[in-house]
Amino acid sequence: MIKKRSYFRNKKILITGHTGFKGSWLTYWLTNLGAKVIGISNDFPTKPSIFKILNKNNKKIISYFKNIEDFKQIKKIFLKHKPDMVFHLAAQSLVKVSYTNPKKTFDTNFLGTLNILECLRNINFKCNAVFITSDKSYKNIEINRGYLENDLLGGKDPYSSSKATAEFAIYSYFNSFLKYKRNVRIGIARAGNVIGGGDWSKDRIIPDIVRATVNNQKINIRNPEATRPWQHVFEIISGYLLLMINLSVKKKLTGEAFNFGPRVKKKFTVLKILRLSKRFWPKIKWKIKKDNNFFESKLLSLNSNKANRFLGWRDVMSNEQKVAYTLEWYKKFYTNKKIIMNFSYNQLKKFTKILKSKIKKKYVTNINI
């Protein structure tokens, strides 16, 4: 058994997309576990920036602002730092944007993944990598059961298709090259819609709610009955961390994909998340304004039994907790920015205690701060 907090301490960890919403929280979590983070991002994708809020003046982070599509630059960083681990999150992650700029979406999501794979193919030092893809990698046939890791991949919209294409590249590189390299192990993490404090991306439900409410406006809702496997960002990242740890201690897991999603009974509609949000922030108002200019799945959920069986991971928050954690963070940010760092740390610490109490002791779970 790995001793508490020792696994990530002093490890050099490369995170692509480290200034994004999930990347920022992952960076924050890992540096609190003693890791040294090398980050690659294009820029700060939103203003305000959750990265600047959480990681300002953090000396454990080296940031490179490079294009993930530029192989020479990515390779140069790889060889300079020789990371022990890689979390590949860099992506164009918005479905609506993929319709206005499909080529950029494919370039970022496919070529970016290909560049990381090519770096791994050629290194001679030990390195484990977790590739973050999406629940939208699956060919969505609107089924009620959660998708399994061996279900068909595909996608009608450019974003979903770009993610599925990236997975085909991972599958090909693993079976052709990485499977035979003793110094490299890889895993794939598929997760769904994420909520949590500090996301200011466009066309996402909670950021849209927050923007509209802060400006005393109504939020426009495209598809109130759409069902998504919403999870708090802490739950998703805990899955990424557990997968990385288990890649090191269980060599048979290399090349495997894992779903990280809530149990089917926990999935909820856009309308339900609005009603829950209003409970914690009564000023929230909305109106239905459908947009038929692009395809959007109505029903989508994941079966995460594999992650539970092999990694010990499970979703541990109720729907009410997910929304409460999220909106409390935003309310604190807009009313008292001076304490948001301490508030963020305490939220994460509280969550890791919940997580530790819920996961069986036989699993390696030393990710509590």
Side-chain angles (χ1 to χ4, degrees), residues 45-135:
T46 64
K47 189 177 181 179
S49 165
I50 182 60
F51 181 85
K52 291 181 179 179
I53 293 167
L54 294 177
N55 299 302
K56 186 178 181 180
N57 300 322
N58 190 332
K59 294 181 180 179
K60 293 179 181 177
I61 305 169
I62 299 173
S63 293
Y64 290 93
F65 292 94
K66 305 292 183 181
N67 191 333
I68 194 65
E69 302 159 33
D70 187 337
F71 176 67
K72 288 184 179 179
Q73 290 292 336
I74 304 306
K75 181 182 178 181
K76 184 177 179 180
I77 295 168
F78 238 88
L79 296 179
K80 178 179 179 179
H81 292 281
K82 294 182 171 58
D84 301 297
M85 307 167 206
V86 176
F87 288 94
H88 176 52
L89 286 80
Q92 192 301 98
S93 60
L94 300 174
V95 174
K96 195 169 184 178
V97 172
S98 78
Y99 277 90
T100 58
N101 203 339
K103 184 181 184 302
K104 180 63 176 176
T105 300
F106 275 95
D107 286 346
T108 301
N109 296 350
F110 174 69
L111 289 179
T113 300
L114 196 64
N115 286 342
I116 298 298
L117 288 166
E118 184 66 6
C119 287
L120 291 170
R121 183 175 77 89
N122 288 291
I123 60 174
N124 56 13
F125 53 88
K126 287 187 177 181
C127 182
N128 293 340
V130 170
F131 289 85
I132 314 304
T133 61
S134 173
D135 59 346

Side-chain angles (χ1 to χ4, degrees), residues 7-21:
Y7 183 74
F8 292 107
R9 186 180 297 280
N10 294 324
K11 292 291 195 305
K12 293 180 292 182
I13 303 179
L14 177 66
I15 301 176
T16 69
H18 73 305
T19 61
F21 173 50

